[in-house]
Amino acid sequence: MPDIMLKAENVNKDHKRAGEIIRALINVNLEVYAGEVVSIQGPTACGKTTLLNVLSGLDTPDDGKVFLDGENISRASETRLSAIRSQKVGFVFQDFNLIDTLTAIENVEALLWPTPLHSKDIEKRALAALRDVNLLDRKDHTPRQLSGGEKSRVAVARAIIHQPRVLFADEPTGNLDPDSGNALMDLLVKLNKDYKTTVVVVTHDEKIANKYGKKRVRMERGAIVSTT
Amino acid sequence: MSLFRLINKSFLLALRSRRRFWMFTLAYALLLGFSSVFMDRAIAVNFALGVDTTMAIIAITVSALISMLYANIIVTYRKMEIATLKCIGWKNDHIRILISGEIMAVTLLAFFFVVEAFFHYTAISAYALSADISNPPFTDAIVLVQFWPIAATFGIMLGVQIAGILIANDKILKIRPIQALQKM
């Protein structure tokens, strides 16, 4: 039996908007094993992104516990959470969030700039990550010179440069055409196979969730309604 | 190692901001130049309250205000980038170094521009005056400002950057990593 990589225990989270309290997560329980590809799917505003935020340590639950690689992160300090994010977690954002003034390789390297690693080692790792996503030939291009699909691959390279235990992707195919979207998901699945990285993908797209999620979590109105 | 790398990258980011960077560098260079001239004259009158001393104080105050404006603009412009960097594991300290470096880069480059401009002024004046006058050059006529008032003004200007850096720090702390996930 593989280790439990992520665990949510009775997690509740409320959002306050315009004086109204919205229950974003209601008594959520979830276990994700190491090396799994999990899709979290559901309609808009059902709490998918909130769950991803809580699982990845970007947000804290109001109630309940979250464990990442065995460590309770639900009440961890911001400094500890930063350390966890830089060592164990990779993120792929919907808009990819690349820095426009940096080249593709610099965007990938940026994650390791604050570390004590030697610049040559950082460059080697960035080149290896770009090779993994098949984008070495575009390493000196800025995001403006890259297509949407290429940007997504740079974002994935940045997310894997530190060889994270878990890779979180928030609607990664949301801004891509179907072919580029499928290519990106194929890449995430390949990385999962090659490096045994646990992948958690949030998507509203049922086709993507069914095709790529080995474990499929369906959410509605802040609660998990099915796990298959 | 990482401190030098972050400072180096902050200069890189500043230079690549192009229009914003050059606009503020020019503004700082002008202020530094004017401040140096007035500082030079204020020193000659032992900082007696008069036009020169007042102008030097005004120029330094304006540079402090510009520093705050610049810090504000950088952090606002880089809000999503800062949130993303926090999201991928950068600590507040790392981002502070990056933004402070960007603020300092403008002042440093402006200083080099001003020193360079005064050197050229001296060279041109010496050439022009030597061409007309066979006597040794008149120091007061060819040297607009001595070096050390420029260095002193530069030191004061670096000091007033603290105002900008403090504002930047305050804003950096308010940016949460979760903001990187907000849809644009």
Side-chain angles (χ1 to χ4, degrees):
Chain A
M1 191 73 167
D3 295 337
I4 293 174
M5 182 54 64
L6 289 166
K7 189 177 181 183
E9 275 182 5
N10 304 317
V11 168
N12 289 284
K13 179 81 185 169
D14 294 343
H15 289 313
K16 281 177 194 157
R17 273 186 210 139
E20 193 186 346
I21 293 175
I22 297 159
R23 301 206 64 191
L25 294 176
I26 305 164
N27 207 31
V28 168
N29 287 285
L30 180 68
E31 281 183 354
V32 176
Y33 292 98
E36 274 189 319
V37 177
V38 181
S39 63
I40 301 173
Q41 192 263 330
T44 305
C46 69
K48 306 184 294 286
T49 299
T50 307
L51 179 58
L52 181 132
N53 294 343
V54 167
L55 289 174
S56 61
L58 286 178
D59 207 353
T60 50
D62 295 337
D63 217 355
K65 288 178 183 170
V66 177
F67 295 89
L68 194 154
D69 202 14
E71 184 175 349
N72 184 353
I73 59 165
S74 43
R75 294 287 174 264
S77 67
E78 190 49 48
T79 310
R80 180 66 197 138
L81 288 173
S82 291
I84 291 169
R85 285 197 292 269
S86 66
Q87 290 158 13
K88 295 184 179 180
V89 175
F91 285 97
V92 179
F93 307 95
Q94 181 177 355
D95 299 303
F96 312 122
N97 293 20
L98 301 176
I99 298 174
D100 280 342
T101 48
L102 298 179
T103 61
I105 190 166
E106 287 166 344
N107 265 290
V108 177
E109 288 175 339
L111 190 142
L112 296 176
W113 283 347
T115 66
L117 280 173
H118 196 277
S119 296
K120 291 269 181 209
D121 293 331
I122 294 177
E123 190 185 358
K124 264 188 208 168
R125 286 197 188 193
L127 288 171
L130 284 169
R131 196 176 300 119
D132 279 340
V133 300
N134 199 20
L135 208 69
L136 261 186
D137 55 330
R138 308 282 273 167
K139 70 182 174 69
D140 295 321
H141 290 72
T142 60
R144 284 187 186 145
Q145 296 166 319
L146 299 173
S147 67
E150 288 167 335
K151 279 186 207 174
S152 73
R153 283 190 274 157
V154 176
V156 172
R158 181 178 63 187
I160 60 165
I161 188 176
H162 56 314
Q163 296 162 339
R165 305 289 315 271
V166 195
L167 203 154
F168 292 98
D170 183 30
E171 301 275 9
T173 59
N175 284 342
L176 296 175
D177 60 78
D179 286 344
S180 302
N182 284 329
L184 175 64
M185 289 307 300
D186 287 337
L187 177 63
L188 294 180
V189 170
K190 181 181 173 293
L191 292 168
N192 163 260
K193 278 184 185 155
D194 291 350
Y195 299 111
K196 309 284 177 237
T197 310
T198 309
V199 178
V200 179
V201 179
V202 160
T203 180
H204 67 274
D205 189 331
E206 206 168 335
K207 281 181 194 165
I208 292 274
N210 290 337
K211 186 176 174 186
Y212 294 100
K214 286 176 195 160
K215 178 186 270 182
R216 292 180 290 278
V217 177
R218 183 162 172 78
M219 291 189 74
E220 275 175 28
R221 294 178 187 176
I224 292 177
V225 290
S226 70
T227 306
T228 52
Chain B
M1 170 68 85
S2 66
L3 174 70
F4 289 117
R5 182 159 53 228
L6 287 177
I7 292 171
N8 182 20
K9 299 302 177 188
S10 70
F11 280 38
L12 175 88
L13 280 171
L15 281 166
R16 289 196 188 158
S17 309
R18 290 183 188 171
R19 200 183 305 164
R20 186 180 66 229
F21 177 76
W22 291 115
M23 208 172 72
F24 276 92
T25 302
L26 183 68
Y28 269 114
L30 289 171
L31 278 167
L32 188 56
F34 281 123
S35 306
S36 303
V37 171
F38 290 119
M39 180 75 88
D40 195 50
R41 293 178 185 177
I43 288 165
V45 293
N46 287 326
F47 291 101
L49 202 58
V51 176
D52 296 325
T53 307
T54 311
M55 290 303 281
I57 291 167
I58 289 173
I60 287 163
T61 310
V62 170
S63 71
L65 292 172
I66 286 185
S67 169
M68 288 190 272
L69 175 70
Y70 187 51
N72 202 38
I73 287 173
I74 291 175
V75 180
T76 306
Y77 178 81
R78 296 204 183 281
K79 194 173 168 185
M80 187 55 94
E81 293 171 7
I82 291 169
T84 304
L85 292 173
K86 283 189 179 187
C87 215
I88 62 174
W90 282 44
K91 291 177 184 155
N92 282 325
D93 288 347
H94 302 139
I95 292 164
R96 276 187 197 119
I97 295 168
L98 197 76
I99 299 297
S100 303
E102 206 171 336
I103 294 169
M104 290 297 183
V106 169
T107 321
L108 279 171
L109 198 69
F111 172 70
F112 288 121
F113 279 157
V114 169
V115 170
E116 186 72 17
F118 283 139
F119 266 129
H120 279 81
Y121 174 87
T122 305
I124 291 165
S125 303
Y127 176 78
L129 292 173
S130 307
D132 291 340
I133 302 161
S134 55
N135 293 324
F138 302 108
T139 307
D140 284 351
I142 63 165
V143 180
L144 185 62
V145 186
Q146 300 293 322
F147 178 74
W148 78 267
I150 305 174
T153 311
F154 171 66
I156 294 169
M157 284 213 169
L158 274 182
V160 297
Q161 302 301 311
I162 290 167
I165 290 168
L166 286 175
I167 285 197
N169 279 348
D170 186 48
K171 288 180 78 92
I172 287 165
L173 285 175
K174 283 180 186 159
I175 297 173
R176 297 174 63 209
I178 201 169
Q179 287 174 264
L181 286 132
Q182 286 171 355
K183 313 294 182 253
M184 283 185 273

